[in-house]
Amino acid sequence: MKIKYFLMAVALLSAGQAAAQETYENAKIAGEDLNGTARYVGMGGALDALGADISTIGSNPAGIARFRKSKIEGTVSVVSQANAAEYPHGDATKVSFDQLGGVWAVASVDGSSYINAGFNFHKSRNFNLILSADDMFGRPSPDGTVYASQNKLTYMKLNNGLLCPMDDNGRVYIDEPYSSCNQLDDIYVRNLLYAAGDGQRYFYEASGYDFDRAHKGYIGEYDFNISGNINDRVYLGLTVGLHDVHYEHIGDYTEMIQSNPENISKLNVYDERRIKGQGADVKVGAIFRPIEYSPLLIGVTVHTPTWYDLTTSNYTEISDGNNYAWSEESYDYKIYTPWKFGLSAGYTVGKQLALGFGFDYADYGTIRTRINDGGEYYFYDYYESSHNDYNMNEHTKRTLKGVSTIKVGAELKVTPELALRAGYNYATAMYEKDGFKDGTIQSNGSYISTATDFTNWKDTNRFTCGLGYSTGKFNFDIAYQYSVAKGDFCPFMSYTDGQYYDFDNVANFVEVNNKRHQLMCTMGFSF
């Protein structure tokens, strides 16, 4: 059966199958942006020791103890991706409601100590991004140019016994879902790599590809804080955070197929994915004034992992321009993000100048994906268990690494009412340079994947500035942030037979970037 008989097919995995997610998808959820109030962003986030800003509720909870008056603030921004390709499913510029929170400050009888309570909502992650890439396939061999393709990768995995289940002769059961391969493999095997009358299977090489994907959504973080100050020397804080995940992407991947008997010129993969769910974490922090009459402040923080319970759903379609095959799936899973540790320092010169410095570290190689085992009711309570996805966690350990974040910022009071701010925020790369999305891993996270592409993002640089104006009980702040990160994009993992050049399937890395402008405004009221 040739591709001209490309039939519509439903390639669903077992609906009751336990599932876990894949390393590159998990990394999107675990990462964080620099976001919050305009003052916090304008100083590069370097307020963890200086405190007295609502956004420190999520970075150093002890910063809330530095408030002397109660306050409410809200922030909106315009976020724009520079040099974004035109793509009908994505928006390069969007208005975002980024923050809303308040602090209630209560002084002790003698006024030397405070007990404060606070609440804040902010977007810890803004997924808005249009990702585009294109490249040519082909590399020389003794017999001529060898081309690559996504379906050739499936063919090679099939030939090497990596797709299951198999019969006694090493052939895939064509009448069963491919529970040990991803959904794209399943569609390709059933519709392109079909067993022809001569007993042979076929693949279709491509000369190049075009890729476009729009990422949308956000992670909203709701933080509840209690904090206190002891004699203006020690500040302690505790924050409990609830996280709300809203992620989706829509993408098109098109390969230009080499000459073939069926005269197929292009194959297109259309992919939609949504991830929703909730998470929770706990943050503790302290700020110390080590020298009684010195303005020097030292801060320390510890953040627990965020324990996420998520649901993802997808729709994937492969088309040759006239006929198509499709697959869809929905499942629940869990991921636990890494512990995070921070050190910070702050120093003030009179009432005119404030200087801040911060350092955070989190090892993203320790992200844990977990497979749901199901649950049962005990009287009226429902109990659910899960276990670690060992193979995927080993892949995560090899692919992701520790991230160090450095934050520096300054605020200069030009007049008692007007303040100028500047900051710099630098985060090292989360991905190993030679990391890749491994579609051969025996893991549920691989089986339910609908995309083979991956991007190894490099260091992130964020440059910020802003100003603030206060009059009476009101304050008005604006900030500008420019962030830039480069990455290496690949449409699928390279896979070589090791014996024959014709069975090499190699894709080059293509440089992509994420350049983002953000202009934000915060309005506040103290009482």
Side-chain angles (χ1 to χ4, degrees), residues 34 53 91 129 198 200 233 310 315 369 400 420 435 459 466 473:
L34 172 61
D53 188 278
D91 298 313
L129 170 68
D198 57 5
Q200 300 297 313
R233 291 285 304 277
L310 303 170
Y315 173 83
T369 62
L400 305 183
L420 301 180
D459 301 355
K473 295 182 178 181

Side-chain angles (χ1 to χ4, degrees), residues 135-139 145-154 156 188 203-209 253-258 267 490-495 501-508:
D135 195 26
M136 303 301 293
F137 295 129
R139 67 193 193 95
T145 303
V146 175
Y147 294 96
S149 70
Q150 205 177 59
N151 71 89
K152 183 180 178 181
L153 175 61
T154 298
M156 295 178 68
Y188 278 137
F203 60 85
Y204 297 81
E205 292 183 316
S207 59
Y209 69 89
Y253 172 77
T254 302
E255 289 184 334
M256 283 62 78
I257 302 302
Q258 290 283 87
L267 279 178
C490 198
F492 47 76
M493 63 180 285
S494 292
Y495 189 70
Y501 283 97
D502 289 346
F503 287 95
D504 286 352
N505 198 58
V506 178
N508 299 319

